[in-house]
Amino acid sequence: MIHDLLIVGGGINGAAIAREAAINGLSVLLVERGDLASATSSASTKLIHGGLRYLEYGKFRLVREALQERERLLAAAPHVIRPVRFVIPHAHAVRPRWMIRAGLFLYDWLGGKSRLPRSHSLQLLDRCLQAPLKRPAKGFVYNDCVADDSRLTLLNAMDAAHHGAEIRTRTELISARREGSIWLAALSRGEEARARVLVNAAGPWVAETLSRSAADSTAHIRWVKGSHIIVPRRYEGEQAYLLQQPDRRVVFAIPYEDHFTLIGTTDLAVDAPSATPACAEEIDYLCTATNLYFSRSISAADVVHSYSGVRPLYDDGVEDSKAVTRDYVLEMDENEPPLLSIFGGKITTARRLAEEALALIADTCAWPHYRNSKALVFPGGAIADFEEFLAQVRIFWPFLNNSQSLRMARAYGTMLHEMLHDVREEVHMGHRFGAGFTEVEARWMHDQEWARTAEDCLWRRSKLGLHMTAVEQTIFARWWRENFEP
């Protein structure tokens, strides 16, 4: 079979392009040498946002487009994306208050008509928002969204598969060469693939994929490592905090997985991407950053989990890592057959990137193209009101406790009806592994979501690895091997 597109990379960009192409009726093969979202796309700050700090660098178009996408994504995937209030205490600030106020006014204006509230001043008497701080501070409050980045990537891949795309994880591109008007690709395990267009969405490994395709590029990549730490919950309330630092960086503190606080990110230039980037010296920086503001201080001993991801940013010549553009660049090699390479990008704008990528491919190949994905919901996302949906879930399956029903409603949305179609009582959920994780869910991850290891389930399809004990994780890993691994 000759596919229209062979997409290399199962991160957010590759999955979004696969979805856009499949929706447009193209035959698509996506290959990923690891798991979906196994690198940068699962190592973000979990934000769906315009990028308030990008205004400081004059990236008005990027912010406007990202805010437009925020609205679309919130409507299309309300189970994995939700609004959050962000508090900006004006303490230890290197920017004057007027500048922040003006930036927030511009942020609201660029966002246009939005379902999120406008920004406003932080009141000294607002005890809920002031309580975590060392001392009451003036400041500002604005609204953005948080997301499950791994599952958003997965939903793109699931929707692509629903529209006919073939998704192959644990499948590596070994080499690719032009053979007439077709790309001939050698894949791992001795497999081959043929395609009319090769799409290089390998993220941090975009240059490596180019070399494996005997192709070159005029664009260059900057690798910037962003690190995060997770600590036991530091404060009550669902609000997040944007904390200005003396070095002009900003650090977010975000309620995470109900019992934790997520803190990040950093911007550290690295010489090359790593499959397993580590958060090391950044831990002390992030602890110090939050201790400037919060009354409950933390140290490295409080960190229950950390992660790092290498962002593949387009090299725009800026010296400071935090100022490098987060915009994306699409580079088309129009030699026959065509090769499209993706440089940069962010989770919020992945759908728009995919739309532009497909338009570029269609123009190059003289294929018809329709911008169809703007109004389409993601799998599980046909939810008008999440709280009403959650109430229905608890009526249909009353044996799910509150935390379990909330977690599963957020993860699967309306797909819960398919997953639990034959479940009438708790015993039908099968083996219980701990933290509300059961056999029926694990089998769904394997059968419907390309999970192939216990790690896929506990750290990308979910974050249950934070909630289960070491013994529970070991027992689950043994069960998984016995049932699914040869």
Side-chain angles (χ1 to χ4, degrees):
M1 176 180 180
I2 300 176
H3 291 87
D4 293 320
L5 302 188
L6 170 58
I7 301 173
V8 181
I12 187 64
N13 289 340
I17 294 171
R19 175 180 185 247
E20 190 75 24
I23 288 171
N24 272 269
L26 299 180
S27 60
V28 177
L29 170 61
L30 181 149
V31 297
E32 162 57 50
R33 64 182 173 188
D35 184 25
L36 295 170
S38 57
T40 310
S41 295
S42 60
S44 75
T45 315
K46 322 302 181 190
L47 298 179
I48 298 296
H49 65 142
L52 179 60
R53 70 186 182 92
Y54 305 154
L55 294 176
E56 193 169 17
Y57 303 106
K59 305 296 183 181
F60 305 123
R61 180 190 59 80
L62 173 62
V63 172
R64 178 177 58 81
E65 292 179 356
L67 288 171
Q68 291 171 347
E69 289 302 302
R70 182 191 69 183
E71 291 297 307
R72 292 190 181 104
L73 291 172
L74 182 57
H79 49 322
V80 298
I81 301 171
R82 63 185 187 277
V84 170
R85 282 193 300 176
F86 285 79
V87 180
I88 310 177
H90 195 70
H92 311 288
V94 293
R95 301 167 183 87
R97 290 186 77 249
W98 68 262
M99 180 183 292
I100 299 173
R101 175 68 272 179
L104 288 169
F105 176 83
L106 182 58
Y107 198 66
D108 290 337
W109 182 77
L110 289 170
K113 185 178 181 180
S114 172
R115 69 188 66 198
L116 301 185
R118 300 277 174 167
S119 60
H120 59 84
S121 296
L122 172 64
Q123 303 300 317
L124 292 173
L125 297 179
D126 192 331
R127 294 182 180 179
C128 175
L129 303 184
Q130 296 280 359
L133 304 176
K134 283 183 175 180
R135 59 187 63 86
K138 293 182 178 181
F140 303 93
V141 179
Y142 74 102
N143 291 268
D144 255 325
C145 293
V146 296
D148 185 328
D149 51 5
S150 301
R151 291 204 64 83
L152 183 58
T153 303
L154 174 66
L155 293 179
N156 275 274
M158 292 181 75
D159 210 18
H162 174 74
H163 286 88
E166 182 179 354
I167 309 295
R168 294 191 206 171
T169 61
R170 268 74 185 193
T171 303
E172 183 175 3
L173 176 75
I174 305 301
S175 65
R177 71 174 189 273
R178 289 177 164 102
E179 196 171 81
S181 61
I182 300 297
W183 280 101
L184 178 61
L187 308 177
S188 54
R189 299 188 299 276
E191 299 175 5
E192 287 188 346
R194 296 174 181 270
R196 295 179 178 87
V197 179
L198 180 63
V199 178
N200 178 5
W205 296 277
V206 62
E208 177 184 317
T209 301
L210 280 168
S211 67
R212 293 187 181 193
S213 309
D216 203 356
S217 169
T218 58
H220 298 283
I221 205 87
R222 287 272 293 275
W223 294 294
V224 177
K225 185 175 70 166
S227 296
H228 301 77
I229 59 175
I230 299 172
V231 297
R233 190 151 186 165
R234 308 318 291 169
Y235 57 86
E236 296 299 320
E238 293 303 314
Q239 73 276 9
Y241 289 83
L242 185 156
L243 309 175
Q244 299 182 78
Q245 300 301 310
D247 60 4
R248 298 191 71 84
R249 290 188 174 94
V250 297
V251 169
F252 291 96
I254 303 171
Y256 191 61
E257 288 290 308
D258 296 327
H259 304 295
F260 303 95
T261 300
L262 172 66
I263 299 169
T265 181
T266 58
D267 293 285
L268 182 65
V270 294
D271 295 329
S274 168
T276 56
C279 177
E281 64 268 25
E282 298 100 317
I283 291 179
D284 288 338
Y285 174 86
L286 292 172
C287 289
T288 300
T290 54
N291 291 343
L292 278 175
Y293 287 86
F294 293 147
S295 55
R296 294 182 62 192
S297 62
I298 59 172
S299 68
D302 295 302
V303 176
V304 298
H305 185 67
S306 65
Y307 63 88
S308 299
V310 177
R311 308 183 194 106
L313 304 181
Y314 176 73
D315 190 353
D316 57 0
V318 175
E319 183 176 348
D320 191 350
S321 297
K322 69 177 182 292
V324 178
T325 182
R326 266 54 175 178
D327 208 348
Y328 53 82
V329 172
L330 309 179
E331 184 180 78
M332 176 64 82
D333 179 347
E334 297 184 1
N335 291 317
E336 190 173 349
L339 164 63
L340 177 65
S341 296
I342 315 298
F343 296 86
K346 57 200 293 266
I347 286 177
T348 306
T349 54
R351 190 212 63 84
R352 190 182 186 101
L353 179 153
E355 188 178 70
E356 293 185 11
L358 196 62
L360 185 57
I361 291 170
D363 288 346
T364 302
C365 299
W367 294 343
H369 169 239
Y370 307 96
R371 297 177 184 266
N372 289 334
S373 67
K374 284 184 178 181
L376 292 182
V377 299
F378 285 95
I383 300 171
D385 184 292
F386 182 81
E387 293 303 321
E388 289 184 6
F389 170 71
L390 178 59
Q392 293 172 1
V393 168
R394 288 169 173 166
I395 292 171
F396 291 150
W397 301 285
F399 48 83
L400 300 178
N401 62 42
N402 284 347
S403 62
Q404 187 181 19
S405 59
L406 175 60
R407 178 185 65 78
M408 295 181 73
R410 282 179 174 171
Y412 305 106
T414 58
M415 290 187 290
L416 267 182
H417 292 283
E418 183 179 350
M419 179 194 296
L420 303 181
H421 180 264
D422 296 323
V423 174
R424 294 293 179 267
E425 50 189 275
E426 189 173 10
V427 68
H428 297 153
M429 300 289 285
H431 193 95
R432 290 182 291 180
F433 303 111
F437 188 38
T438 63
E439 181 177 345
V440 69
E441 188 176 359
R443 291 189 180 278
W444 171 274
M445 291 175 176
H446 177 273
D447 297 344
Q448 304 295 328
E449 298 183 352
W450 300 281
R452 291 298 176 263
T453 68
E455 180 185 348
D456 294 350
C457 298
L458 299 183
W459 292 104
R460 283 181 289 278
R461 303 307 178 277
S462 74
K463 296 298 181 289
L464 287 161
L466 285 170
H467 303 277
M468 295 169 65
T469 67
V471 172
E472 289 171 338
Q473 293 184 51
T474 299
I475 292 172
F476 171 66
R478 185 186 306 124
W479 178 89
W480 184 272
R481 288 193 299 270
E482 291 171 353
N483 284 272
F484 297 124
E485 294 183 11

